[in-house]
């Protein structure tokens, strides 16, 4: 199965200015994301898709592949869809540029969703991990996901979902990790679909698939590293780096 990883890397950021250029122990966030994705060895190629001269320079200087996007896009998925139209693969992975600690096992699990007979029915996949920290559960910066009994997404929200009305019933909250895998036809479809009400109000792009009747098949992982979304994440990432470098 041929897989290509595309890393959308827009310089502008609402919650943390130019976060992809922030240095973590001598390397920028975007360089660490690119190198970590490449190091998994899972992909025919790894391509950074950017509108930024600075990001292009960083990736080319570390020997990476860059393709430029010249238009304004509503989401990272819209951005990589324009590039994927020029490429051929069985599955495209969208690895967000702010995930400098992506690991091989979670990405391999995500690709495995598309294998074998059952996998032929999967059009879009993504990753979730259990969370127990009340601060993460209640943070609007952490997207939560609930699924059906077969692991298909039912809802993504910045609110704590599900609401636990009966506290005697066991419940696990799951954080959605912003790494997606697509069949090419599903990726090409995404930009043609109109933005949807929940997508607009929650600012979660994958809700567009759900609201148009396309579930995301989720794989569950125990660890994924730390994504960089707000300023506090930078210090958490630096502390995390020290632990894995020891």
């Amino acid at each position: 199965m041929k897989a290509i990883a595309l890393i959308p890397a827009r310089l502008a950021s609402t919650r943390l200015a130019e976060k992809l250029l922030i240095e973590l122990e001598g390397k920028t966030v975007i360089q660490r994301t690119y190198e970590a994705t490449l190091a998994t060895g899972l992909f025919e190629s790894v391509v950074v898709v950017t509108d930024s001269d600075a990001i292009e320079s960083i990736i080319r200087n570390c020997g990476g592949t860059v393709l430029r996007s010249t238009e304004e896009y509503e989401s990272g998925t819209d951005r990589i869809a324009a590039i994927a139209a020029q490429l051929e693969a069985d599955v495209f992975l969208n690895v967000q540029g702010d995930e400098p600690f992506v690991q091989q096992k979670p990405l391999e699990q995500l690709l495995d969703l598309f294998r074998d007979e059952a996998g032929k029915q999967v059009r879009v996949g993504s990753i979730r991990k259990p969370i127990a920290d009340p601060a993460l559960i209640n943070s609007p910066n952490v997207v939560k996901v609930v699924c059906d009994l077969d692991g298909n997404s039912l809802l993504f929200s910045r609110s704590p979902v599900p609401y636990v009305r009966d506290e005697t019933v066991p419940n696990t909250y799951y954080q959605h990790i912003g790494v997606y895998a697509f069949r090419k036809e599903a990726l090409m479809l995404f930009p043609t679909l109109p933005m949807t009400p929940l997508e607009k109000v929650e600012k979660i792009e994958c809700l567009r698939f759900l609201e148009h009747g396309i579930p995301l098949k989720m794989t569950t992982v125990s660890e994924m590293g730390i994504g960089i979304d707000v300023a506090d994440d930078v210090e958490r990432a630096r502390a995390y780096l020290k632990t894995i470098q020891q």
Side-chain angles (χ1 to χ4, degrees):
M1 186 174 75
K2 180 179 178 181
I4 291 177
L6 299 175
I7 304 175
R10 184 171 66 99
L11 189 58
S13 176
T14 303
R15 288 182 290 272
L16 182 59
E18 298 189 351
K19 63 182 178 180
L20 299 188
L21 301 185
I22 292 172
E23 288 205 357
L24 302 175
E25 301 294 318
K27 292 183 179 181
T28 60
V29 170
I30 186 59
Q31 181 177 345
R32 286 194 175 278
T33 302
Y34 169 77
E35 291 180 344
T37 306
L38 188 67
T40 66
L42 297 172
F43 304 104
E44 181 89 6
S45 58
V46 178
V47 181
V48 174
V49 182
T50 188
D51 58 359
S52 163
D53 291 340
I55 290 174
E56 179 177 8
S57 177
I58 288 167
I59 298 303
R60 292 203 185 280
N61 285 342
C62 69
T65 302
V66 180
L67 291 175
R68 293 297 292 257
S69 58
T70 56
E71 299 179 26
E72 289 294 322
Y73 295 99
E74 292 289 344
S75 70
T77 304
D78 290 299
R79 187 177 300 278
I80 68 163
I83 295 299
Q86 311 166 29
L87 305 172
E88 288 302 324
D90 297 300
V91 177
F92 290 91
L93 258 75
N94 175 351
V95 180
Q96 306 287 0
D98 57 6
E99 293 282 346
F101 305 112
V102 290
Q103 300 166 13
Q104 192 242 356
K105 184 178 178 181
L107 298 191
E108 190 168 32
Q109 283 183 218
L110 181 54
L111 287 173
D112 284 346
L113 295 177
F114 294 81
R115 302 186 195 276
D116 303 327
E117 283 303 310
K120 291 179 181 179
Q121 306 305 314
V122 177
R123 301 170 71 187
V124 187
S126 195
I127 297 174
R128 66 176 183 171
K129 72 172 184 177
I131 50 173
D133 184 344
L136 295 179
I137 292 167
N138 290 287
S139 172
N141 295 317
V142 175
V143 175
K144 276 68 68 174
V145 58
V146 290
C147 296
D148 67 16
L149 297 178
D150 292 322
N152 296 301
S153 58
L154 292 171
L155 179 66
F156 298 88
S157 181
R158 297 183 183 278
S159 297
V161 288
Y163 174 76
V164 180
R165 184 173 182 178
D166 186 345
E167 295 185 357
T168 67
V169 177
N171 175 65
T172 301
Y173 287 98
Y174 289 94
Q175 177 181 354
H176 176 226
I177 306 299
V179 178
Y180 303 95
F182 310 90
R183 298 281 181 197
K184 185 171 183 177
E185 58 84 16
L187 182 53
M188 295 298 97
L189 176 65
F190 184 84
T192 72
L193 299 172
M195 290 185 71
T196 49
L198 285 179
E199 177 191 9
K200 291 177 182 178
V201 75
E202 288 259 20
K203 300 301 182 188
I204 301 173
E205 65 193 75
C206 56
L207 284 168
R208 191 184 311 180
F209 277 121
L210 277 191
E211 290 184 87
H212 284 286
I214 302 171
L216 284 75
K217 187 77 169 182
M218 307 296 293
T219 188
T220 304
V221 304
S222 58
E223 183 55 54
M224 190 67 190
I226 297 168
I228 309 298
D229 193 53
V230 295
D232 287 349
D233 294 332
V234 177
E235 295 311 312
R236 290 172 59 230
R238 287 175 176 150
Y240 178 76
L241 256 179
K242 290 178 181 177
T243 67
I244 64 177
Q245 290 176 341
Q246 290 176 351

